[in-house]
Amino acid sequence: MTRKARVHSSRLGVAITAGVVLTILAGDALGQDTTRRRRRDEAAKPIELTPAQVADLTKLANARKLSVDDLIAAAKTYMPSGRHDDYVLFSSGGQSGQIFAIGVPSMRLLRSISVFTPESWQGYGFGGENDPVRERLKINGKPVEWGDTHHPALSETAGDYDGQFLFIGDKANARLGVIDLRDWETKQIVKNPLTVSDHGAAFVTPNTDYVIEGGQYATVLGYGYATPEDYKKSYRGMVTMWKFDRAKGRIDESQSFAIELPPYWQDLADAGKLASDGFFFVNSFNSEMATGGVESGKPPFEAGASQRDTDYLHIVDWKKAEKVFKEGKAKKINGFSVITMDVSAAEGVLYFTPEPKSPHGVDVTPNGQYMVVAGKLDPHVTVYSIDKIKKAIADKKYSGKDDYGIPILDFDAVKEAQVELGLGPLHTQFDDKGYAYTSLFLDSAVARWTLGGEYDSKNADEPWKLVQKTPVQYNIGHLCAAEGDTVSPDGNYLISMSKWSVDRFLTTGPLLPQNFQLLDIVQPGTTMPVIYDAPIGVGEPHYCQMIKADKLKSWDVYPEIGWNPHTQSLDPNSPKKGQEGVVRNGNKVTVNMTAIRSHFTPEHVMLEEGDHVTWRIVAMEQTKDATHGFCIGGYNVNLSIEPGEYTEFEFVADKPGTYPFYCTEFCSALHLEMMGYLHIKPKNAPKADASATTPATTASAK
Amino acid sequence: MSAFLTRLIGPRIPDEELRANRARYVTPTVIFMAARILLLVSIFFPYWHMELEAPQYPSGLFLTAYVNNLTEDVKEIDGLNHYIGMRPLGEAASFERAASVYLMIAMVLMVEVAAFVHSKWAVLLAVPVIGFPVGFLVDLYYWMRHFGLNLNPQAPLSSSVKPFVPTVLGEGGIGQFKTYAELGTGYWLAVVSGALIIIGFYFHRRAYRPLTLSATQNPKAAA
């Protein structure tokens, strides 16, 4: 070899070395990817039906009496096993006091979330005595362990759902529940100290600064008393602005306030957005201030409250109200800040304008430009313009003042349009193509109609016109389109929350389920066909909201072992592995327990009659869906201990005996063996050593 | 310098020879250096993976072994293993895992020294690095076999799962689980490191063998 050749071969040696290293690194990086991809997940291939398959399908359809439309509906809604829905519907659970989460388009119930009603599967309110859930459900010291949930409200950022929190109102008891959508659990319940019941909850302002709770049946604010004769003088309505602290995930009651209203019965509310940001709107009925009394020959409420042709749309400048509150101009009623009507009138917080009598929903269009009031007893929807409202306020274009001194904006000055839709219009939602959708209760139909203004150019139809009606079964209340009450609706699916199902399902005794009907609204110009009927056999839901599933960032398991869902942090009291056992301090006993497939530690808990027991239990699991339950028969205890969750409960061991406790969630092959014994020794029992040596004597002595 | 030491560390390179044929002498040093770096880098890459597949774990369970650490779904796998009476994986090879990084640094230093040894004895200093990948596999097999064959007979599933030897590489199975095991990036880096050392010795021999021979033929010049 010449010297030159040697130098070359040396360089070659170094180059080969580098090459080999790089190839191996790259090759192995790719190799790792294939390991992780060994799973199924083959992409769906486009299908093509062979004539034989078409024949089979046709035969099947005919045997089951399915039309071509039925087959198409099935194809639009059927979810193969393992496929996830595009949207999640958060629905009020009505009198069940819960929320239901339902997948769309499959309409499969995913789960319920307990809010106002203790529920045992979730272990909600079943942690022995003084359960914190039961404690916070008390009103004026009385257990009120149910709720009439009406309107869920997803938290919003810039007027769009952000998937972080969910609020819901309890109409029966004027309460608000706050749910954290990381773990889908109720974190807080606030009780309105002013009013017994409400209706217009919950609606959020565009950045969830406030959660709006509109009232309904007027009372003497703060649980006062007055006879019907004093109705005008003493009864009042209200709307409450609950301040939401997003960082804490809680409503801050000290920064919340209410606005006193005349004793018209306030109804639904909606917050302004974009063009109307800073305002919110509330409907009312019974501006007649009828006091009923059918039993004494007076007109019943249903007639008395329907005498006048118009009621009042309430227009609230909440930014002004917030300023007035912060300036200390609110007064306290039952410990809660209230801006009184004289202050509201003087500061320009509150305006009225006439609306066709006894309307139902008031819904703000996605651009915030228009407020749509559905007539209920009037076949029209009446549309108001925020620009016109602002101008009328600036020009003081009043048609008068009501009995309480609140200025009434001239109807013609603020009205944009009236659109005749049919009988019983109740609620309105929107799509992304310039259409609005209104439920028609009496017609039992969904109406699609066009918006005007800047929406006019979004479709070929004439503005402010009815274009289509689809019958629904039956008696539709609320309706909900995909993100249909946000600044950017998806125009994708629509749910008709039909109140009566009559003949849609098998008869389930005299109490029938509600009917959630899925309508396909994607194609303008079509009939908006009903493509699925989903029976809801738990409570009577009212409103629901539909959020794109990928906006929800739920936890698979709690972030760390020992997590306390009430504080959303690691709990210092959570037992550690190896430190399980029973700690006694007089008759105060603490049980430190861990749970892991498939055993509790300790498995024997020895107590004495009369012990005050604090039982701490933590799931040492970090695997998705490895949930345990824990129950003690006879002591009203059932917990759901989800992976990583820490929970504690208290009780007095006042009934001696030997109690098996066990895991109530089928966790593993050895689930039945996941049990133990709680031994509560009677006070008069002989000493342990004596009973061990002379069992016969003990028995005969009794 | 004693004759023994001279024989051991081999001849030094005359200055004029180094100037004339720098590449010839630098090449083995560079290749040894690359091998040392790769071995150190391999500490940060996984040496071994196992994936476990079962119906109720649709996204699988994973075990990843580094020379000093066992990660990923260890807790869940330990949880499952307790049903068949296998000891927690953390109790396996604890000495090896604790010592591995020091051991590897020692091996790297030995190769560094080897670069200065210009006799055939340099090979001895590099033997541990060359043998390391094999040693890793043998150790892994030993522990898997030890754990698999020594199940607690009182475990809940002892009647259905008998002691077994888990598959260290390739496809295996236990209970409802299918297992796939393969070597990781770190392991291959260690293999390349060993291979580079072998290549390096080719150039080492080519550079120093003539010097050694000429020194033997002309002892005065070497001294």
Side-chain angles (χ1 to χ4, degrees), chain A residues 3 6 9-10 17 21 24 28 35-36 38-39 561 597-598 620 623 668 670, chain B residues 21 24 27 38 51 53 72 75-76 82-83 180 182 184-185 188 192 196 206:
Chain A
R3 183 198 297 170
R6 277 189 189 134
S9 90
S10 296
T17 309
V21 171
I24 289 201
D28 206 65
T35 316
R36 306 255 150 169
R38 193 152 23 220
R39 338 242 63 103
I561 291 173
R597 282 161 291 162
S598 307
M620 308 293 285
T623 299
S668 58
L670 290 139
Chain B
N21 287 318
R24 183 189 173 105
T27 304
L38 285 185
E51 178 179 355
E53 231 179 52
E72 294 201 79
K75 221 185 139 216
E76 181 64 14
H82 101 275
Y83 288 119
Y180 304 90
E182 62 181 28
T185 310
W188 291 117
V192 174
L196 282 179
R206 207 191 54 182

mmCIF file of all heavy atoms in Angstrom, chain A residues 3 6 9-10 17 21 24 28 35-36 38-39 561 597-598 620 623 668 670, chain B residues 21 24 27 38 51 53 72 75-76 82-83 180 182 184-185 188 192 196 206:
data_model
loop_
_atom_site.group_PDB
_atom_site.id
_atom_site.type_symbol
_atom_site.label_atom_id
_atom_site.label_comp_id
_atom_site.label_asym_id
_atom_site.label_seq_id
_atom_site.Cartn_x
_atom_site.Cartn_y
_atom_site.Cartn_z
ATOM 1 N N ARG A 3 1.582 5.310 0.623
ATOM 2 C CA ARG A 3 1.164 6.141 1.745
ATOM 3 C C ARG A 3 -0.198 6.790 1.487
ATOM 4 O O ARG A 3 -1.067 6.847 2.351
ATOM 5 C CB ARG A 3 2.213 7.209 2.016
ATOM 6 C CG ARG A 3 1.816 8.039 3.228
ATOM 7 C CD ARG A 3 2.539 9.327 3.279
ATOM 8 N NE ARG A 3 3.972 9.106 3.430
ATOM 9 C CZ ARG A 3 4.864 10.097 3.315
ATOM 10 N NH1 ARG A 3 4.452 11.318 3.044
ATOM 11 N NH2 ARG A 3 6.131 9.870 3.453
ATOM 12 N N ARG A 6 -2.952 4.493 2.039
ATOM 13 C CA ARG A 6 -3.168 4.272 3.469
ATOM 14 C C ARG A 6 -4.001 5.392 4.086
ATOM 15 O O ARG A 6 -4.913 5.149 4.862
ATOM 16 C CB ARG A 6 -1.823 4.174 4.185
ATOM 17 C CG ARG A 6 -1.245 2.773 4.065
ATOM 18 C CD ARG A 6 -0.054 2.642 4.955
ATOM 19 N NE ARG A 6 0.602 1.376 4.660
ATOM 20 C CZ ARG A 6 1.912 1.263 4.510
ATOM 21 N NH1 ARG A 6 2.691 2.327 4.645
ATOM 22 N NH2 ARG A 6 2.444 0.103 4.264
ATOM 23 N N SER A 9 -7.500 4.897 3.030
ATOM 24 C CA SER A 9 -8.200 3.810 3.726
ATOM 25 C C SER A 9 -8.503 4.205 5.176
ATOM 26 O O SER A 9 -9.520 3.821 5.729
ATOM 27 C CB SER A 9 -7.407 2.507 3.643
ATOM 28 O OG SER A 9 -6.522 2.412 4.742
ATOM 29 N N SER A 10 -7.624 5.048 5.789
ATOM 30 C CA SER A 10 -7.908 5.525 7.148
ATOM 31 C C SER A 10 -9.145 6.389 7.168
ATOM 32 O O SER A 10 -10.032 6.230 8.000
ATOM 33 C CB SER A 10 -6.728 6.333 7.678
ATOM 34 O OG SER A 10 -5.624 5.486 7.776
ATOM 35 N N THR A 17 -17.346 4.164 9.989
ATOM 36 C CA THR A 17 -17.772 4.203 11.390
ATOM 37 C C THR A 17 -18.945 5.135 11.561
ATOM 38 O O THR A 17 -19.991 4.766 12.110
ATOM 39 C CB THR A 17 -16.610 4.711 12.268
ATOM 40 O OG1 THR A 17 -15.473 3.950 11.944
ATOM 41 C CG2 THR A 17 -16.959 4.586 13.714
ATOM 42 N N VAL A 21 -22.950 4.143 12.512
ATOM 43 C CA VAL A 21 -23.604 4.695 13.710
ATOM 44 C C VAL A 21 -24.904 5.379 13.327
ATOM 45 O O VAL A 21 -25.968 5.131 13.908
ATOM 46 C CB VAL A 21 -22.659 5.690 14.407
ATOM 47 C CG1 VAL A 21 -23.407 6.411 15.502
ATOM 48 C CG2 VAL A 21 -21.467 4.944 14.977
ATOM 49 N N ILE A 24 -27.668 2.957 12.226
ATOM 50 C CA ILE A 24 -28.261 2.184 13.325
ATOM 51 C C ILE A 24 -29.189 3.067 14.149
ATOM 52 O O ILE A 24 -30.308 2.686 14.492
ATOM 53 C CB ILE A 24 -27.161 1.554 14.172
ATOM 54 C CG1 ILE A 24 -26.528 0.447 13.337
ATOM 55 C CG2 ILE A 24 -27.714 1.045 15.489
ATOM 56 C CD1 ILE A 24 -25.801 -0.574 14.112
ATOM 57 N N ASP A 28 -33.082 2.265 14.186
ATOM 58 C CA ASP A 28 -33.696 1.857 15.442
ATOM 59 C C ASP A 28 -34.819 2.795 15.858
ATOM 60 O O ASP A 28 -35.815 2.363 16.412
ATOM 61 C CB ASP A 28 -32.653 1.768 16.532
ATOM 62 C CG ASP A 28 -33.094 0.789 17.586
ATOM 63 O OD1 ASP A 28 -33.204 -0.402 17.245
ATOM 64 O OD2 ASP A 28 -33.362 1.222 18.707
ATOM 65 N N THR A 35 -42.884 -0.775 16.694
ATOM 66 C CA THR A 35 -43.271 -1.518 17.891
ATOM 67 C C THR A 35 -44.572 -0.953 18.449
ATOM 68 O O THR A 35 -45.506 -1.671 18.737
ATOM 69 C CB THR A 35 -42.203 -1.363 18.994
ATOM 70 O OG1 THR A 35 -40.949 -1.511 18.403
ATOM 71 C CG2 THR A 35 -42.413 -2.366 20.071
ATOM 72 N N ARG A 36 -44.572 0.375 18.609
ATOM 73 C CA ARG A 36 -45.740 1.000 19.223
ATOM 74 C C ARG A 36 -46.953 0.969 18.311
ATOM 75 O O ARG A 36 -48.043 1.246 18.727
ATOM 76 C CB ARG A 36 -45.432 2.452 19.549
ATOM 77 C CG ARG A 36 -44.204 2.606 20.377
ATOM 78 C CD ARG A 36 -44.572 2.921 21.767
ATOM 79 N NE ARG A 36 -43.538 2.386 22.615
ATOM 80 C CZ ARG A 36 -43.423 2.664 23.891
ATOM 81 N NH1 ARG A 36 -44.257 3.469 24.455
ATOM 82 N NH2 ARG A 36 -42.477 2.136 24.616
ATOM 83 N N ARG A 38 -47.806 -1.656 16.585
ATOM 84 C CA ARG A 38 -48.170 -3.022 16.288
ATOM 85 C C ARG A 38 -49.689 -3.226 16.382
ATOM 86 O O ARG A 38 -50.234 -4.199 15.900
ATOM 87 C CB ARG A 38 -47.456 -3.975 17.226
ATOM 88 C CG ARG A 38 -47.563 -5.374 16.762
ATOM 89 C CD ARG A 38 -46.425 -6.271 17.160
ATOM 90 N NE ARG A 38 -45.686 -5.826 18.314
ATOM 91 C CZ ARG A 38 -44.366 -5.915 18.403
ATOM 92 N NH1 ARG A 38 -43.662 -6.369 17.396
ATOM 93 N NH2 ARG A 38 -43.741 -5.526 19.493
ATOM 94 N N ARG A 39 -50.363 -2.281 17.065
ATOM 95 C CA ARG A 39 -51.806 -2.373 17.259
ATOM 96 C C ARG A 39 -52.588 -2.384 15.954
ATOM 97 O O ARG A 39 -52.098 -1.963 14.933
ATOM 98 C CB ARG A 39 -52.313 -1.196 18.049
ATOM 99 C CG ARG A 39 -51.288 -0.501 18.875
ATOM 100 C CD ARG A 39 -51.724 -0.631 20.274
ATOM 101 N NE ARG A 39 -51.744 -2.037 20.621
ATOM 102 C CZ ARG A 39 -50.777 -2.577 21.347
ATOM 103 N NH1 ARG A 39 -49.782 -1.873 21.771
ATOM 104 N NH2 ARG A 39 -50.824 -3.849 21.650
ATOM 105 N N ILE A 561 -51.301 9.498 43.058
ATOM 106 C CA ILE A 561 -51.955 8.637 44.048
ATOM 107 C C ILE A 561 -52.112 9.434 45.341
ATOM 108 O O ILE A 561 -51.134 9.961 45.863
ATOM 109 C CB ILE A 561 -51.150 7.341 44.258
ATOM 110 C CG1 ILE A 561 -51.253 6.492 42.998
ATOM 111 C CG2 ILE A 561 -51.653 6.576 45.467
ATOM 112 C CD1 ILE A 561 -50.379 5.270 42.997
ATOM 113 N N ARG A 597 -55.876 -3.758 43.257
ATOM 114 C CA ARG A 597 -56.328 -5.077 42.824
ATOM 115 C C ARG A 597 -55.476 -6.169 43.467
ATOM 116 O O ARG A 597 -54.258 -6.144 43.342
ATOM 117 C CB ARG A 597 -56.250 -5.200 41.296
ATOM 118 C CG ARG A 597 -57.387 -4.516 40.569
ATOM 119 C CD ARG A 597 -57.046 -4.267 39.133
ATOM 120 N NE ARG A 597 -56.021 -3.252 39.039
ATOM 121 C CZ ARG A 597 -55.274 -3.055 37.940
ATOM 122 N NH1 ARG A 597 -55.417 -3.835 36.891
ATOM 123 N NH2 ARG A 597 -54.374 -2.094 37.908
ATOM 124 N N SER A 598 -56.038 -7.104 44.190
ATOM 125 C CA SER A 598 -57.447 -7.212 44.551
ATOM 126 C C SER A 598 -57.544 -7.358 46.077
ATOM 127 O O SER A 598 -58.032 -8.353 46.573
ATOM 128 C CB SER A 598 -58.084 -8.432 43.893
ATOM 129 O OG SER A 598 -57.856 -8.437 42.491
ATOM 130 N N MET A 620 -54.616 2.804 45.086
ATOM 131 C CA MET A 620 -53.204 2.822 44.666
ATOM 132 C C MET A 620 -53.071 2.478 43.184
ATOM 133 O O MET A 620 -52.080 1.895 42.770
ATOM 134 C CB MET A 620 -52.396 1.812 45.497
ATOM 135 C CG MET A 620 -52.546 1.939 46.988
ATOM 136 S SD MET A 620 -51.840 3.452 47.618
ATOM 137 C CE MET A 620 -50.105 3.056 47.535
ATOM 138 N N THR A 623 -54.060 2.907 36.577
ATOM 139 C CA THR A 623 -54.443 2.341 35.287
ATOM 140 C C THR A 623 -55.849 2.788 34.935
ATOM 141 O O THR A 623 -56.742 2.725 35.772
ATOM 142 C CB THR A 623 -54.366 0.802 35.363
ATOM 143 O OG1 THR A 623 -53.030 0.451 35.656
ATOM 144 C CG2 THR A 623 -54.798 0.153 34.068
ATOM 145 N N SER A 668 -61.518 -6.836 38.932
ATOM 146 C CA SER A 668 -60.489 -7.802 38.534
ATOM 147 C C SER A 668 -61.049 -9.207 38.691
ATOM 148 O O SER A 668 -62.152 -9.391 39.202
ATOM 149 C CB SER A 668 -59.265 -7.655 39.442
ATOM 150 O OG SER A 668 -59.665 -7.856 40.790
ATOM 151 N N LEU A 670 -60.247 -11.288 40.762
ATOM 152 C CA LEU A 670 -60.383 -11.629 42.180
ATOM 153 C C LEU A 670 -61.175 -10.563 42.924
ATOM 154 O O LEU A 670 -60.943 -10.290 44.101
ATOM 155 C CB LEU A 670 -59.001 -11.874 42.785
ATOM 156 C CG LEU A 670 -58.439 -13.171 42.205
ATOM 157 C CD1 LEU A 670 -56.980 -13.061 41.890
ATOM 158 C CD2 LEU A 670 -58.742 -14.336 43.128
ATOM 159 N N ASN B 21 3.122 10.357 8.738
ATOM 160 C CA ASN B 21 1.950 9.479 8.584
ATOM 161 C C ASN B 21 0.917 9.706 9.689
ATOM 162 O O ASN B 21 0.479 8.791 10.368
ATOM 163 C CB ASN B 21 2.398 8.016 8.635
ATOM 164 C CG ASN B 21 3.109 7.619 7.369
ATOM 165 O OD1 ASN B 21 2.679 7.990 6.290
ATOM 166 N ND2 ASN B 21 4.204 6.900 7.525
ATOM 167 N N ARG B 24 -2.389 7.664 9.822
ATOM 168 C CA ARG B 24 -2.177 6.266 10.138
ATOM 169 C C ARG B 24 -2.261 6.013 11.656
ATOM 170 O O ARG B 24 -2.818 5.006 12.106
ATOM 171 C CB ARG B 24 -0.765 5.912 9.624
ATOM 172 C CG ARG B 24 -0.363 4.481 9.785
ATOM 173 C CD ARG B 24 1.128 4.416 9.439
ATOM 174 N NE ARG B 24 1.624 3.096 9.726
ATOM 175 C CZ ARG B 24 1.894 2.202 8.788
ATOM 176 N NH1 ARG B 24 1.755 2.532 7.516
ATOM 177 N NH2 ARG B 24 2.335 1.006 9.104
ATOM 178 N N THR B 27 -6.021 7.382 13.246
ATOM 179 C CA THR B 27 -7.234 6.614 12.949
ATOM 180 C C THR B 27 -7.682 5.712 14.105
ATOM 181 O O THR B 27 -8.825 5.819 14.562
ATOM 182 C CB THR B 27 -7.047 5.788 11.667
ATOM 183 O OG1 THR B 27 -6.691 6.697 10.624
ATOM 184 C CG2 THR B 27 -8.328 5.058 11.292
ATOM 185 N N LEU B 38 -20.019 6.481 21.992
ATOM 186 C CA LEU B 38 -21.254 5.711 21.769
ATOM 187 C C LEU B 38 -21.668 4.955 23.024
ATOM 188 O O LEU B 38 -22.837 4.902 23.385
ATOM 189 C CB LEU B 38 -21.055 4.723 20.622
ATOM 190 C CG LEU B 38 -21.052 5.328 19.229
ATOM 191 C CD1 LEU B 38 -20.963 4.224 18.190
ATOM 192 C CD2 LEU B 38 -22.307 6.153 19.002
ATOM 193 N N GLU B 51 -43.318 -5.350 25.051
ATOM 194 C CA GLU B 51 -44.701 -4.892 24.948
ATOM 195 C C GLU B 51 -45.600 -6.060 25.296
ATOM 196 O O GLU B 51 -45.373 -7.176 24.842
ATOM 197 C CB GLU B 51 -44.965 -4.411 23.521
ATOM 198 C CG GLU B 51 -46.393 -3.963 23.321
ATOM 199 C CD GLU B 51 -46.660 -3.459 21.911
ATOM 200 O OE1 GLU B 51 -45.701 -3.368 21.128
ATOM 201 O OE2 GLU B 51 -47.820 -3.171 21.624
ATOM 202 N N GLU B 53 -49.524 -7.468 25.356
ATOM 203 C CA GLU B 53 -50.798 -7.211 24.707
ATOM 204 C C GLU B 53 -51.851 -8.113 25.316
ATOM 205 O O GLU B 53 -51.617 -9.320 25.452
ATOM 206 C CB GLU B 53 -50.656 -7.566 23.225
ATOM 207 C CG GLU B 53 -51.125 -6.487 22.298
ATOM 208 C CD GLU B 53 -50.914 -6.923 20.857
ATOM 209 O OE1 GLU B 53 -51.364 -8.024 20.488
ATOM 210 O OE2 GLU B 53 -50.273 -6.174 20.136
ATOM 211 N N GLU B 72 -41.736 2.802 32.479
ATOM 212 C CA GLU B 72 -43.068 2.697 31.872
ATOM 213 C C GLU B 72 -44.029 1.947 32.789
ATOM 214 O O GLU B 72 -44.082 2.254 33.958
ATOM 215 C CB GLU B 72 -42.987 2.148 30.442
ATOM 216 C CG GLU B 72 -42.247 3.171 29.546
ATOM 217 C CD GLU B 72 -42.532 2.990 28.080
ATOM 218 O OE1 GLU B 72 -43.614 3.434 27.641
ATOM 219 O OE2 GLU B 72 -41.678 2.435 27.373
ATOM 220 N N LYS B 75 -45.482 -0.464 37.311
ATOM 221 C CA LYS B 75 -46.397 -0.599 38.435
ATOM 222 C C LYS B 75 -47.558 -1.521 38.080
ATOM 223 O O LYS B 75 -47.923 -2.402 38.855
ATOM 224 C CB LYS B 75 -46.925 0.792 38.792
ATOM 225 C CG LYS B 75 -47.001 0.991 40.252
ATOM 226 C CD LYS B 75 -47.625 2.283 40.625
ATOM 227 C CE LYS B 75 -48.492 1.944 41.758
ATOM 228 N NZ LYS B 75 -49.696 2.530 41.967
ATOM 229 N N GLU B 76 -48.125 -1.267 36.912
ATOM 230 C CA GLU B 76 -49.268 -2.080 36.489
ATOM 231 C C GLU B 76 -48.827 -3.534 36.260
ATOM 232 O O GLU B 76 -49.525 -4.463 36.651
ATOM 233 C CB GLU B 76 -49.881 -1.479 35.218
ATOM 234 C CG GLU B 76 -51.100 -2.217 34.690
ATOM 235 C CD GLU B 76 -52.286 -2.179 35.637
ATOM 236 O OE1 GLU B 76 -52.260 -1.365 36.593
ATOM 237 O OE2 GLU B 76 -53.230 -2.969 35.440
ATOM 238 N N HIS B 82 -48.432 -9.912 40.634
ATOM 239 C CA HIS B 82 -48.653 -10.428 41.990
ATOM 240 C C HIS B 82 -49.706 -11.534 41.985
ATOM 241 O O HIS B 82 -49.708 -12.399 42.847
ATOM 242 C CB HIS B 82 -48.982 -9.296 42.970
ATOM 243 C CG HIS B 82 -50.435 -9.143 43.305
ATOM 244 N ND1 HIS B 82 -51.294 -8.412 42.527
ATOM 245 C CD2 HIS B 82 -51.172 -9.640 44.325
ATOM 246 C CE1 HIS B 82 -52.500 -8.454 43.062
ATOM 247 N NE2 HIS B 82 -52.463 -9.188 44.150
ATOM 248 N N TYR B 83 -50.590 -11.512 40.968
ATOM 249 C CA TYR B 83 -51.585 -12.583 40.890
ATOM 250 C C TYR B 83 -50.936 -13.936 40.619
ATOM 251 O O TYR B 83 -51.463 -14.972 40.998
ATOM 252 C CB TYR B 83 -52.601 -12.310 39.768
ATOM 253 C CG TYR B 83 -53.551 -11.189 40.085
ATOM 254 C CD1 TYR B 83 -53.603 -10.053 39.281
ATOM 255 C CD2 TYR B 83 -54.423 -11.273 41.171
ATOM 256 C CE1 TYR B 83 -54.484 -9.025 39.563
ATOM 257 C CE2 TYR B 83 -55.305 -10.250 41.458
ATOM 258 C CZ TYR B 83 -55.331 -9.126 40.649
ATOM 259 O OH TYR B 83 -56.195 -8.121 40.925
ATOM 260 N N TYR B 180 -44.036 -9.159 23.310
ATOM 261 C CA TYR B 180 -43.078 -8.962 22.219
ATOM 262 C C TYR B 180 -41.894 -8.245 22.832
ATOM 263 O O TYR B 180 -42.060 -7.169 23.402
ATOM 264 C CB TYR B 180 -43.660 -8.067 21.130
ATOM 265 C CG TYR B 180 -44.958 -8.567 20.568
ATOM 266 C CD1 TYR B 180 -46.167 -8.179 21.133
ATOM 267 C CD2 TYR B 180 -44.981 -9.429 19.469
ATOM 268 C CE1 TYR B 180 -47.374 -8.627 20.633
ATOM 269 C CE2 TYR B 180 -46.181 -9.892 18.954
ATOM 270 C CZ TYR B 180 -47.379 -9.484 19.536
ATOM 271 O OH TYR B 180 -48.561 -9.942 19.037
ATOM 272 N N GLU B 182 -37.835 -6.849 22.342
ATOM 273 C CA GLU B 182 -36.765 -6.591 21.375
ATOM 274 C C GLU B 182 -35.726 -5.664 21.986
ATOM 275 O O GLU B 182 -35.968 -5.030 23.013
ATOM 276 C CB GLU B 182 -37.340 -5.999 20.098
ATOM 277 C CG GLU B 182 -38.021 -4.669 20.326
ATOM 278 C CD GLU B 182 -38.604 -4.117 19.037
ATOM 279 O OE1 GLU B 182 -38.950 -4.902 18.146
ATOM 280 O OE2 GLU B 182 -38.699 -2.889 18.939
ATOM 281 N N GLY B 184 -33.203 -2.436 22.241
ATOM 282 C CA GLY B 184 -33.436 -1.022 21.996
ATOM 283 C C GLY B 184 -32.208 -0.315 21.448
ATOM 284 O O GLY B 184 -31.136 -0.899 21.290
ATOM 285 N N THR B 185 -32.391 0.953 21.185
ATOM 286 C CA THR B 185 -31.334 1.783 20.606
ATOM 287 C C THR B 185 -30.031 1.697 21.408
ATOM 288 O O THR B 185 -28.943 1.568 20.840
ATOM 289 C CB THR B 185 -31.799 3.248 20.586
ATOM 290 O OG1 THR B 185 -33.089 3.275 19.990
ATOM 291 C CG2 THR B 185 -30.849 4.119 19.788
ATOM 292 N N TRP B 188 -28.057 -1.397 20.733
ATOM 293 C CA TRP B 188 -27.390 -1.394 19.433
ATOM 294 C C TRP B 188 -26.196 -0.438 19.439
ATOM 295 O O TRP B 188 -25.181 -0.698 18.800
ATOM 296 C CB TRP B 188 -28.388 -1.043 18.324
ATOM 297 C CG TRP B 188 -29.388 -2.159 18.131
ATOM 298 C CD1 TRP B 188 -30.734 -2.105 18.326
ATOM 299 C CD2 TRP B 188 -29.093 -3.493 17.746
ATOM 300 N NE1 TRP B 188 -31.308 -3.320 18.077
ATOM 301 C CE2 TRP B 188 -30.329 -4.203 17.723
ATOM 302 C CE3 TRP B 188 -27.919 -4.183 17.426
ATOM 303 C CZ2 TRP B 188 -30.410 -5.554 17.384
ATOM 304 C CZ3 TRP B 188 -27.998 -5.519 17.080
ATOM 305 C CH2 TRP B 188 -29.242 -6.200 17.069
ATOM 306 N N VAL B 192 -22.474 -1.458 18.447
ATOM 307 C CA VAL B 192 -21.655 -0.712 17.489
ATOM 308 C C VAL B 192 -20.357 -0.294 18.159
ATOM 309 O O VAL B 192 -19.272 -0.364 17.554
ATOM 310 C CB VAL B 192 -22.422 0.525 16.972
ATOM 311 C CG1 VAL B 192 -21.516 1.374 16.105
ATOM 312 C CG2 VAL B 192 -23.639 0.082 16.185
ATOM 313 N N LEU B 196 -16.867 -1.139 16.667
ATOM 314 C CA LEU B 196 -15.894 -0.099 16.326
ATOM 315 C C LEU B 196 -14.543 -0.414 16.944
ATOM 316 O O LEU B 196 -13.498 -0.179 16.345
ATOM 317 C CB LEU B 196 -16.377 1.263 16.824
ATOM 318 C CG LEU B 196 -17.451 1.935 15.967
ATOM 319 C CD1 LEU B 196 -17.856 3.252 16.594
ATOM 320 C CD2 LEU B 196 -16.937 2.140 14.544
ATOM 321 N N ARG B 206 -2.287 -2.269 12.301
ATOM 322 C CA ARG B 206 -1.639 -1.844 11.082
ATOM 323 C C ARG B 206 -0.644 -0.701 11.378
ATOM 324 O O ARG B 206 0.397 -0.585 10.759
ATOM 325 C CB ARG B 206 -2.678 -1.372 10.069
ATOM 326 C CG ARG B 206 -2.196 -1.529 8.634
ATOM 327 C CD ARG B 206 -3.121 -0.817 7.698
ATOM 328 N NE ARG B 206 -3.277 0.572 8.092
ATOM 329 C CZ ARG B 206 -4.049 1.429 7.479
ATOM 330 N NH1 ARG B 206 -4.777 1.035 6.446
ATOM 331 N NH2 ARG B 206 -4.106 2.681 7.876
#
